[in-house]
PDB file of all heavy atoms in Angstrom:
ATOM      1  N   PRO A   7     132.598  71.519 113.579  1.00 78.00           N
ATOM      2  CA  PRO A   7     133.507  70.407 113.303  1.00 78.00           C
ATOM      3  C   PRO A   7     134.387  70.693 112.091  1.00 78.00           C
ATOM      4  O   PRO A   7     133.911  71.050 111.027  1.00 78.00           O
ATOM      5  CB  PRO A   7     132.560  69.229 113.039  1.00 78.00           C
ATOM      6  CG  PRO A   7     131.316  69.873 112.532  1.00 78.00           C
ATOM      7  CD  PRO A   7     131.200  71.193 113.214  1.00 78.00           C
ATOM      8  N   ALA A   8     135.690  70.538 112.276  1.00 80.00           N
ATOM      9  CA  ALA A   8     136.668  70.879 111.254  1.00 80.00           C
ATOM     10  C   ALA A   8     137.164  69.614 110.558  1.00 80.00           C
ATOM     11  O   ALA A   8     137.073  68.508 111.121  1.00 80.00           O
ATOM     12  CB  ALA A   8     137.865  71.608 111.894  1.00 80.00           C
ATOM     13  N   PRO A   9     137.682  69.724 109.353  1.00 82.00           N
ATOM     14  CA  PRO A   9     138.310  68.556 108.728  1.00 82.00           C
ATOM     15  C   PRO A   9     139.554  68.137 109.475  1.00 82.00           C
ATOM     16  O   PRO A   9     140.242  68.970 110.065  1.00 82.00           O
ATOM     17  CB  PRO A   9     138.627  69.068 107.309  1.00 82.00           C
ATOM     18  CG  PRO A   9     138.711  70.548 107.437  1.00 82.00           C
ATOM     19  CD  PRO A   9     137.729  70.924 108.496  1.00 82.00           C
ATOM     20  N   ALA A  10     139.834  66.860 109.453  1.00 84.00           N
ATOM     21  CA  ALA A  10     140.987  66.321 110.204  1.00 84.00           C
ATOM     22  C   ALA A  10     142.275  66.532 109.417  1.00 84.00           C
ATOM     23  O   ALA A  10     142.963  65.575 109.027  1.00 84.00           O
ATOM     24  CB  ALA A  10     140.773  64.847 110.514  1.00 84.00           C
ATOM     25  N   ILE A  11     142.628  67.807 109.191  1.00 85.00           N
ATOM     26  CA  ILE A  11     143.869  68.129 108.501  1.00 85.00           C
ATOM     27  C   ILE A  11     145.042  67.912 109.453  1.00 85.00           C
ATOM     28  O   ILE A  11     144.878  67.989 110.682  1.00 85.00           O
ATOM     29  CB  ILE A  11     143.839  69.575 107.976  1.00 85.00           C
ATOM     30  CG1 ILE A  11     143.569  70.551 109.124  1.00 85.00           C
ATOM     31  CG2 ILE A  11     142.789  69.743 106.892  1.00 85.00           C
ATOM     32  CD1 ILE A  11     143.578  72.002 108.711  1.00 85.00           C
ATOM     33  N   PRO A  12     146.233  67.628 108.946  1.00 86.00           N
ATOM     34  CA  PRO A  12     147.367  67.335 109.833  1.00 86.00           C
ATOM     35  C   PRO A  12     147.646  68.421 110.857  1.00 86.00           C
ATOM     36  O   PRO A  12     148.014  68.127 112.002  1.00 86.00           O
ATOM     37  CB  PRO A  12     148.530  67.151 108.865  1.00 86.00           C
ATOM     38  CG  PRO A  12     147.897  66.680 107.594  1.00 86.00           C
ATOM     39  CD  PRO A  12     146.581  67.414 107.523  1.00 86.00           C
ATOM     40  N   ALA A  13     147.495  69.702 110.486  1.00 86.00           N
ATOM     41  CA  ALA A  13     147.816  70.783 111.408  1.00 86.00           C
ATOM     42  C   ALA A  13     146.915  70.788 112.638  1.00 86.00           C
ATOM     43  O   ALA A  13     147.294  71.310 113.685  1.00 86.00           O
ATOM     44  CB  ALA A  13     147.694  72.139 110.683  1.00 86.00           C
ATOM     45  N   LEU A  14     145.737  70.180 112.539  1.00 87.00           N
ATOM     46  CA  LEU A  14     144.838  70.102 113.681  1.00 87.00           C
ATOM     47  C   LEU A  14     144.806  68.713 114.302  1.00 87.00           C
ATOM     48  O   LEU A  14     144.711  68.575 115.529  1.00 87.00           O
ATOM     49  CB  LEU A  14     143.412  70.499 113.251  1.00 87.00           C
ATOM     50  CG  LEU A  14     143.226  71.910 112.710  1.00 87.00           C
ATOM     51  CD1 LEU A  14     141.782  72.130 112.307  1.00 87.00           C
ATOM     52  CD2 LEU A  14     143.644  72.949 113.742  1.00 87.00           C
ATOM     53  N   PHE A  15     144.901  67.674 113.462  1.00 88.00           N
ATOM     54  CA  PHE A  15     144.726  66.310 113.975  1.00 88.00           C
ATOM     55  C   PHE A  15     145.965  65.811 114.701  1.00 88.00           C
ATOM     56  O   PHE A  15     145.852  65.117 115.727  1.00 88.00           O
ATOM     57  CB  PHE A  15     144.354  65.361 112.836  1.00 88.00           C
ATOM     58  CG  PHE A  15     143.824  64.038 113.310  1.00 88.00           C
ATOM     59  CD1 PHE A  15     142.735  63.982 114.146  1.00 88.00           C
ATOM     60  CD2 PHE A  15     144.438  62.866 112.929  1.00 88.00           C
ATOM     61  CE1 PHE A  15     142.239  62.770 114.600  1.00 88.00           C
ATOM     62  CE2 PHE A  15     143.957  61.648 113.374  1.00 88.00           C
ATOM     63  CZ  PHE A  15     142.851  61.600 114.207  1.00 88.00           C
ATOM     64  N   ALA A  16     147.155  66.139 114.203  1.00 89.00           N
ATOM     65  CA  ALA A  16     148.383  65.700 114.883  1.00 89.00           C
ATOM     66  C   ALA A  16     148.476  66.267 116.296  1.00 89.00           C
ATOM     67  O   ALA A  16     148.745  65.520 117.250  1.00 89.00           O
ATOM     68  CB  ALA A  16     149.615  66.084 114.054  1.00 89.00           C
ATOM     69  N   PRO A  17     148.257  67.575 116.523  1.00 89.00           N
ATOM     70  CA  PRO A  17     148.261  68.066 117.909  1.00 89.00           C
ATOM     71  C   PRO A  17     147.156  67.455 118.752  1.00 89.00           C
ATOM     72  O   PRO A  17     147.323  67.312 119.964  1.00 89.00           O
ATOM     73  CB  PRO A  17     148.047  69.591 117.737  1.00 89.00           C
ATOM     74  CG  PRO A  17     148.515  69.891 116.359  1.00 89.00           C
ATOM     75  CD  PRO A  17     148.165  68.685 115.548  1.00 89.00           C
ATOM     76  N   SER A  18     146.034  67.088 118.140  1.00 90.00           N
ATOM     77  CA  SER A  18     144.962  66.464 118.906  1.00 90.00           C
ATOM     78  C   SER A  18     145.381  65.093 119.413  1.00 90.00           C
ATOM     79  O   SER A  18     145.048  64.725 120.556  1.00 90.00           O
ATOM     80  CB  SER A  18     143.702  66.348 118.038  1.00 90.00           C
ATOM     81  OG  SER A  18     143.234  67.611 117.641  1.00 90.00           O
ATOM     82  N   ILE A  19     146.086  64.335 118.589  1.00 91.00           N
ATOM     83  CA  ILE A  19     146.584  63.040 119.041  1.00 91.00           C
ATOM     84  C   ILE A  19     147.571  63.236 120.195  1.00 91.00           C
ATOM     85  O   ILE A  19     147.551  62.493 121.192  1.00 91.00           O
ATOM     86  CB  ILE A  19     147.240  62.271 117.885  1.00 91.00           C
ATOM     87  CG1 ILE A  19     146.176  61.848 116.864  1.00 91.00           C
ATOM     88  CG2 ILE A  19     147.994  61.054 118.394  1.00 91.00           C
ATOM     89  CD1 ILE A  19     146.738  61.065 115.700  1.00 91.00           C
ATOM     90  N   ILE A  20     148.443  64.230 120.086  1.00 91.00           N
ATOM     91  CA  ILE A  20     149.390  64.508 121.163  1.00 91.00           C
ATOM     92  C   ILE A  20     148.646  64.858 122.440  1.00 91.00           C
ATOM     93  O   ILE A  20     148.977  64.365 123.534  1.00 91.00           O
ATOM     94  CB  ILE A  20     150.335  65.656 120.756  1.00 91.00           C
ATOM     95  CG1 ILE A  20     151.205  65.218 119.565  1.00 91.00           C
ATOM     96  CG2 ILE A  20     151.203  66.062 121.932  1.00 91.00           C
ATOM     97  CD1 ILE A  20     152.094  66.320 119.023  1.00 91.00           C
ATOM     98  N   ALA A  21     147.594  65.683 122.342  1.00 90.00           N
ATOM     99  CA  ALA A  21     146.852  66.096 123.527  1.00 90.00           C
ATOM    100  C   ALA A  21     146.128  64.914 124.170  1.00 90.00           C
ATOM    101  O   ALA A  21     146.172  64.732 125.401  1.00 90.00           O
ATOM    102  CB  ALA A  21     145.844  67.189 123.148  1.00 90.00           C
ATOM    103  N   VAL A  22     145.466  64.096 123.351  1.00 91.00           N
ATOM    104  CA  VAL A  22     144.730  62.947 123.899  1.00 91.00           C
ATOM    105  C   VAL A  22     145.694  61.926 124.473  1.00 91.00           C
ATOM    106  O   VAL A  22     145.453  61.343 125.556  1.00 91.00           O
ATOM    107  CB  VAL A  22     143.846  62.327 122.799  1.00 91.00           C
ATOM    108  CG1 VAL A  22     143.267  60.993 123.253  1.00 91.00           C
ATOM    109  CG2 VAL A  22     142.722  63.279 122.436  1.00 91.00           C
ATOM    110  N   TRP A  23     146.814  61.676 123.782  1.00 92.00           N
ATOM    111  CA  TRP A  23     147.816  60.739 124.277  1.00 92.00           C
ATOM    112  C   TRP A  23     148.379  61.211 125.629  1.00 92.00           C
ATOM    113  O   TRP A  23     148.482  60.427 126.575  1.00 92.00           O
ATOM    114  CB  TRP A  23     148.933  60.599 123.248  1.00 92.00           C
ATOM    115  CG  TRP A  23     149.983  59.581 123.608  1.00 92.00           C
ATOM    116  CD1 TRP A  23     150.996  59.722 124.514  1.00 92.00           C
ATOM    117  CD2 TRP A  23     150.112  58.248 123.079  1.00 92.00           C
ATOM    118  NE1 TRP A  23     151.752  58.575 124.576  1.00 92.00           N
ATOM    119  CE2 TRP A  23     151.233  57.657 123.700  1.00 92.00           C
ATOM    120  CE3 TRP A  23     149.409  57.524 122.128  1.00 92.00           C
ATOM    121  CZ2 TRP A  23     151.651  56.372 123.406  1.00 92.00           C
ATOM    122  CZ3 TRP A  23     149.822  56.228 121.838  1.00 92.00           C
ATOM    123  CH2 TRP A  23     150.925  55.670 122.466  1.00 92.00           C
ATOM    124  N   ALA A  24     148.740  62.480 125.721  1.00 90.00           N
ATOM    125  CA  ALA A  24     149.290  63.018 126.957  1.00 90.00           C
ATOM    126  C   ALA A  24     148.278  62.966 128.097  1.00 90.00           C
ATOM    127  O   ALA A  24     148.621  62.657 129.249  1.00 90.00           O
ATOM    128  CB  ALA A  24     149.767  64.452 126.738  1.00 90.00           C
ATOM    129  N   ALA A  25     147.005  63.264 127.800  1.00 90.00           N
ATOM    130  CA  ALA A  25     145.981  63.229 128.832  1.00 90.00           C
ATOM    131  C   ALA A  25     145.774  61.802 129.341  1.00 90.00           C
ATOM    132  O   ALA A  25     145.641  61.573 130.560  1.00 90.00           O
ATOM    133  CB  ALA A  25     144.661  63.789 128.287  1.00 90.00           C
ATOM    134  N   ALA A  26     145.739  60.820 128.433  1.00 90.00           N
ATOM    135  CA  ALA A  26     145.536  59.435 128.842  1.00 90.00           C
ATOM    136  C   ALA A  26     146.737  58.917 129.643  1.00 90.00           C
ATOM    137  O   ALA A  26     146.568  58.264 130.689  1.00 90.00           O
ATOM    138  CB  ALA A  26     145.301  58.559 127.617  1.00 90.00           C
ATOM    139  N   TYR A  27     147.941  59.212 129.165  1.00 91.00           N
ATOM    140  CA  TYR A  27     149.144  58.767 129.885  1.00 91.00           C
ATOM    141  C   TYR A  27     149.228  59.450 131.249  1.00 91.00           C
ATOM    142  O   TYR A  27     149.560  58.821 132.257  1.00 91.00           O
ATOM    143  CB  TYR A  27     150.382  59.061 129.054  1.00 91.00           C
ATOM    144  CG  TYR A  27     151.674  58.646 129.722  1.00 91.00           C
ATOM    145  CD1 TYR A  27     152.151  57.350 129.589  1.00 91.00           C
ATOM    146  CD2 TYR A  27     152.395  59.537 130.510  1.00 91.00           C
ATOM    147  CE1 TYR A  27     153.323  56.950 130.218  1.00 91.00           C
ATOM    148  CE2 TYR A  27     153.570  59.160 131.144  1.00 91.00           C
ATOM    149  CZ  TYR A  27     154.030  57.864 130.982  1.00 91.00           C
ATOM    150  OH  TYR A  27     155.187  57.467 131.614  1.00 91.00           O
ATOM    151  N   GLY A  28     148.953  60.756 131.294  1.00 89.00           N
ATOM    152  CA  GLY A  28     148.986  61.474 132.555  1.00 89.00           C
ATOM    153  C   GLY A  28     147.949  60.966 133.542  1.00 89.00           C
ATOM    154  O   GLY A  28     148.223  60.887 134.745  1.00 89.00           O
ATOM    155  N   ALA A  29     146.762  60.612 133.051  1.00 88.00           N
ATOM    156  CA  ALA A  29     145.735  60.063 133.937  1.00 88.00           C
ATOM    157  C   ALA A  29     146.205  58.752 134.561  1.00 88.00           C
ATOM    158  O   ALA A  29     146.004  58.501 135.757  1.00 88.00           O
ATOM    159  CB  ALA A  29     144.443  59.859 133.165  1.00 88.00           C
ATOM    160  N   HIS A  30     146.861  57.892 133.764  1.00 89.00           N
ATOM    161  CA  HIS A  30     147.360  56.635 134.331  1.00 89.00           C
ATOM    162  C   HIS A  30     148.458  56.900 135.354  1.00 89.00           C
ATOM    163  O   HIS A  30     148.499  56.267 136.416  1.00 89.00           O
ATOM    164  CB  HIS A  30     147.881  55.729 133.217  1.00 89.00           C
ATOM    165  CG  HIS A  30     148.391  54.409 133.718  1.00 89.00           C
ATOM    166  ND1 HIS A  30     149.666  54.256 134.213  1.00 89.00           N
ATOM    167  CD2 HIS A  30     147.790  53.199 133.826  1.00 89.00           C
ATOM    168  CE1 HIS A  30     149.833  53.002 134.601  1.00 89.00           C
ATOM    169  NE2 HIS A  30     148.715  52.345 134.377  1.00 89.00           N
ATOM    170  N   ALA A  31     149.369  57.806 135.027  1.00 88.00           N
ATOM    171  CA  ALA A  31     150.463  58.082 135.968  1.00 88.00           C
ATOM    172  C   ALA A  31     149.935  58.610 137.292  1.00 88.00           C
ATOM    173  O   ALA A  31     150.410  58.218 138.368  1.00 88.00           O
ATOM    174  CB  ALA A  31     151.420  59.104 135.348  1.00 88.00           C
ATOM    175  N   LEU A  32     148.924  59.464 137.252  1.00 87.00           N
ATOM    176  CA  LEU A  32     148.381  60.024 138.489  1.00 87.00           C
ATOM    177  C   LEU A  32     147.581  58.987 139.277  1.00 87.00           C
ATOM    178  O   LEU A  32     147.631  58.946 140.513  1.00 87.00           O
ATOM    179  CB  LEU A  32     147.494  61.238 138.163  1.00 87.00           C
ATOM    180  CG  LEU A  32     148.241  62.475 137.666  1.00 87.00           C
ATOM    181  CD1 LEU A  32     147.276  63.505 137.136  1.00 87.00           C
ATOM    182  CD2 LEU A  32     149.066  63.075 138.808  1.00 87.00           C
ATOM    183  N   ALA A  33     146.833  58.144 138.557  1.00 84.00           N
ATOM    184  CA  ALA A  33     145.980  57.173 139.253  1.00 84.00           C
ATOM    185  C   ALA A  33     146.786  55.982 139.753  1.00 84.00           C
ATOM    186  O   ALA A  33     146.563  55.509 140.881  1.00 84.00           O
ATOM    187  CB  ALA A  33     144.857  56.702 138.332  1.00 84.00           C
ATOM    188  N   ALA A  34     147.713  55.463 138.962  1.00 83.00           N
ATOM    189  CA  ALA A  34     148.436  54.239 139.299  1.00 83.00           C
ATOM    190  C   ALA A  34     149.732  54.509 140.048  1.00 83.00           C
ATOM    191  O   ALA A  34     150.006  53.908 141.087  1.00 83.00           O
ATOM    192  CB  ALA A  34     148.716  53.427 138.037  1.00 83.00           C
ATOM    193  N   ARG A  35     150.557  55.420 139.528  1.00 83.00           N
ATOM    194  CA  ARG A  35     151.841  55.679 140.169  1.00 83.00           C
ATOM    195  C   ARG A  35     151.692  56.549 141.418  1.00 83.00           C
ATOM    196  O   ARG A  35     152.287  56.260 142.464  1.00 83.00           O
ATOM    197  CB  ARG A  35     152.798  56.351 139.193  1.00 83.00           C
ATOM    198  CG  ARG A  35     153.354  55.420 138.108  1.00 83.00           C
ATOM    199  CD  ARG A  35     154.301  56.183 137.211  1.00 83.00           C
ATOM    200  NE  ARG A  35     154.913  55.326 136.194  1.00 83.00           N
ATOM    201  CZ  ARG A  35     156.092  54.732 136.328  1.00 83.00           C
ATOM    202  NH1 ARG A  35     156.788  54.888 137.431  1.00 83.00           N
ATOM    203  NH2 ARG A  35     156.578  53.984 135.348  1.00 83.00           N
ATOM    204  N   ALA A  36     150.920  57.643 141.280  1.00 82.00           N
ATOM    205  CA  ALA A  36     150.771  58.572 142.399  1.00 82.00           C
ATOM    206  C   ALA A  36     149.594  58.251 143.306  1.00 82.00           C
ATOM    207  O   ALA A  36     149.439  58.910 144.342  1.00 82.00           O
ATOM    208  CB  ALA A  36     150.612  60.001 141.869  1.00 82.00           C
ATOM    209  N   ALA A  37     148.764  57.271 142.930  1.00 81.00           N
ATOM    210  CA  ALA A  37     147.590  56.885 143.716  1.00 81.00           C
ATOM    211  C   ALA A  37     146.706  58.100 143.989  1.00 81.00           C
ATOM    212  O   ALA A  37     146.199  58.281 145.102  1.00 81.00           O
ATOM    213  CB  ALA A  37     148.006  56.212 145.016  1.00 81.00           C
ATOM    214  N   SER A  38     146.498  58.943 142.972  1.00 83.00           N
ATOM    215  CA  SER A  38     145.659  60.141 143.101  1.00 83.00           C
ATOM    216  C   SER A  38     144.570  60.089 142.033  1.00 83.00           C
ATOM    217  O   SER A  38     144.672  60.776 140.989  1.00 83.00           O
ATOM    218  CB  SER A  38     146.498  61.421 142.964  1.00 83.00           C
ATOM    219  OG  SER A  38     147.495  61.473 143.953  1.00 83.00           O
ATOM    220  N   PRO A  39     143.554  59.281 142.209  1.00 82.00           N
ATOM    221  CA  PRO A  39     142.543  59.121 141.152  1.00 82.00           C
ATOM    222  C   PRO A  39     141.778  60.405 140.860  1.00 82.00           C
ATOM    223  O   PRO A  39     141.323  60.600 139.719  1.00 82.00           O
ATOM    224  CB  PRO A  39     141.629  58.028 141.705  1.00 82.00           C
ATOM    225  CG  PRO A  39     141.824  58.064 143.192  1.00 82.00           C
ATOM    226  CD  PRO A  39     143.248  58.452 143.393  1.00 82.00           C
ATOM    227  N   ILE A  40     141.592  61.261 141.845  1.00 83.00           N
ATOM    228  CA  ILE A  40     140.865  62.511 141.588  1.00 83.00           C
ATOM    229  C   ILE A  40     141.670  63.408 140.650  1.00 83.00           C
ATOM    230  O   ILE A  40     141.140  63.964 139.680  1.00 83.00           O
ATOM    231  CB  ILE A  40     140.560  63.229 142.903  1.00 83.00           C
ATOM    232  CG1 ILE A  40     139.718  62.336 143.820  1.00 83.00           C
ATOM    233  CG2 ILE A  40     139.822  64.536 142.624  1.00 83.00           C
ATOM    234  CD1 ILE A  40     138.412  61.907 143.218  1.00 83.00           C
ATOM    235  N   LEU A  41     142.969  63.556 140.906  1.00 85.00           N
ATOM    236  CA  LEU A  41     143.820  64.358 140.013  1.00 85.00           C
ATOM    237  C   LEU A  41     143.892  63.726 138.625  1.00 85.00           C
ATOM    238  O   LEU A  41     144.068  64.425 137.623  1.00 85.00           O
ATOM    239  CB  LEU A  41     145.210  64.500 140.604  1.00 85.00           C
ATOM    240  CG  LEU A  41     145.340  65.351 141.870  1.00 85.00           C
ATOM    241  CD1 LEU A  41     146.790  65.391 142.338  1.00 85.00           C
ATOM    242  CD2 LEU A  41     144.833  66.760 141.607  1.00 85.00           C
ATOM    243  N   ALA A  42     143.767  62.403 138.536  1.00 85.00           N
ATOM    244  CA  ALA A  42     143.838  61.733 137.248  1.00 85.00           C
ATOM    245  C   ALA A  42     142.691  62.126 136.331  1.00 85.00           C
ATOM    246  O   ALA A  42     142.793  61.992 135.110  1.00 85.00           O
ATOM    247  CB  ALA A  42     143.828  60.217 137.450  1.00 85.00           C
ATOM    248  N   LEU A  43     141.610  62.642 136.904  1.00 86.00           N
ATOM    249  CA  LEU A  43     140.463  63.048 136.087  1.00 86.00           C
ATOM    250  C   LEU A  43     140.627  64.424 135.462  1.00 86.00           C
ATOM    251  O   LEU A  43     139.870  64.784 134.569  1.00 86.00           O
ATOM    252  CB  LEU A  43     139.200  63.036 136.957  1.00 86.00           C
ATOM    253  CG  LEU A  43     138.888  61.723 137.700  1.00 86.00           C
ATOM    254  CD1 LEU A  43     137.629  61.891 138.518  1.00 86.00           C
ATOM    255  CD2 LEU A  43     138.760  60.583 136.720  1.00 86.00           C
ATOM    256  N   VAL A  44     141.602  65.195 135.929  1.00 86.00           N
ATOM    257  CA  VAL A  44     141.734  66.581 135.465  1.00 86.00           C
ATOM    258  C   VAL A  44     142.124  66.679 133.988  1.00 86.00           C
ATOM    259  O   VAL A  44     141.477  67.415 133.221  1.00 86.00           O
ATOM    260  CB  VAL A  44     142.733  67.348 136.360  1.00 86.00           C
ATOM    261  CG1 VAL A  44     142.996  68.752 135.802  1.00 86.00           C
ATOM    262  CG2 VAL A  44     142.210  67.435 137.792  1.00 86.00           C
ATOM    263  N   PRO A  45     143.183  65.963 133.504  1.00 87.00           N
ATOM    264  CA  PRO A  45     143.517  66.103 132.081  1.00 87.00           C
ATOM    265  C   PRO A  45     142.387  65.687 131.133  1.00 87.00           C
ATOM    266  O   PRO A  45     142.067  66.432 130.200  1.00 87.00           O
ATOM    267  CB  PRO A  45     144.760  65.192 131.929  1.00 87.00           C
ATOM    268  CG  PRO A  45     145.347  65.126 133.300  1.00 87.00           C
ATOM    269  CD  PRO A  45     144.177  65.130 134.213  1.00 87.00           C
ATOM    270  N   PRO A  46     141.726  64.521 131.338  1.00 88.00           N
ATOM    271  CA  PRO A  46     140.600  64.188 130.443  1.00 88.00           C
ATOM    272  C   PRO A  46     139.462  65.204 130.537  1.00 88.00           C
ATOM    273  O   PRO A  46     138.854  65.556 129.526  1.00 88.00           O
ATOM    274  CB  PRO A  46     140.164  62.802 130.927  1.00 88.00           C
ATOM    275  CG  PRO A  46     141.345  62.237 131.607  1.00 88.00           C
ATOM    276  CD  PRO A  46     142.028  63.404 132.248  1.00 88.00           C
ATOM    277  N   ALA A  47     139.169  65.681 131.750  1.00 86.00           N
ATOM    278  CA  ALA A  47     138.095  66.653 131.896  1.00 86.00           C
ATOM    279  C   ALA A  47     138.405  67.948 131.142  1.00 86.00           C
ATOM    280  O   ALA A  47     137.505  68.568 130.571  1.00 86.00           O
ATOM    281  CB  ALA A  47     137.855  66.972 133.375  1.00 86.00           C
TER     282      ALA A  47
END
């Protein structure tokens, strides 16, 4: 476990945000719930 320095934590927020948004887009817009699990996994 590393300290939450900006160089590591800012990209992590981007990654988690993109995965959550992408999961919603795949499950709700594209009606593909299985594909929606790929980014979080």
